[in-house]
Amino acid sequence: MLDFGFSELLLTSAIALVVLGPERLPKVARQVGNWMGRARLMARQLSEQLEREVNAEELLRQQLDLKKHLDLQLDKPVLPPAVIPEAPAAPAVPKAPRPPHPNSPAAMHPEAPPTPAPVDPTQST
């Protein structure tokens, strides 16, 4: 965009220091920085808006092309559908029961699990 070299920046800074003085130079530099930031933000917003507009136009063009294509398809004579024999229905698979919701009374107060029967150490298997 703009091609400034180090010598140009140094010369501009020296002139600004002489013209503005050391007291006002930081304030002016801060204001110039704020203006540059605002300008960049506005340029970025403008480019994003233009990109959205272009995308919207492309979508509209695609929709119109699709509508034209569908209208052409609807103008063609429709043949009767072919009879296709139906396949036998698959047997229904039973669904597993769902666990209770964590806040339901059943989940908050679960029943105690069954205790295993005591094992007699004298009996061997």
Side-chain angles (χ1 to χ4, degrees):
M1 203 161 92
L2 297 176
D3 190 21
F4 288 116
F6 180 72
S7 60
E8 288 93 359
L9 289 175
L10 188 63
L11 179 66
T12 306
S13 300
I15 292 173
L17 182 61
V18 169
V19 171
L20 297 173
E23 296 87 25
R24 290 184 12 198
L25 184 62
K27 292 178 188 176
V28 171
R30 190 176 311 119
Q31 285 179 343
V32 169
N34 285 339
W35 291 340
M36 296 272 298
R38 288 180 188 170
R40 286 181 183 167
L41 176 67
M42 289 173 41
R44 185 172 52 240
Q45 287 175 347
L46 178 65
S47 66
E48 288 173 357
Q49 179 67 26
L50 289 174
E51 187 174 330
R52 281 194 298 265
E53 292 293 330
V54 167
N55 288 340
E57 287 179 14
E58 287 177 5
L59 285 174
L60 183 61
R61 190 176 314 119
Q62 288 175 356
Q63 287 177 348
L64 291 175
D65 289 345
L66 182 62
K67 183 179 183 296
K68 236 186 264 184
H69 180 71
L70 288 176
D71 288 343
L72 291 176
Q73 291 293 327
L74 291 176
D75 290 342
K76 291 181 181 177
V78 179
L79 298 175
V83 178
I84 301 173
E86 292 185 17
V93 178
K95 293 183 179 179
R98 290 180 21 187
H101 190 270
N103 293 334
S104 69
M108 289 183 182
H109 304 289
E111 296 179 16
T115 56
V119 178
D120 188 11
T122 58
Q123 293 179 349
S124 63
T125 53

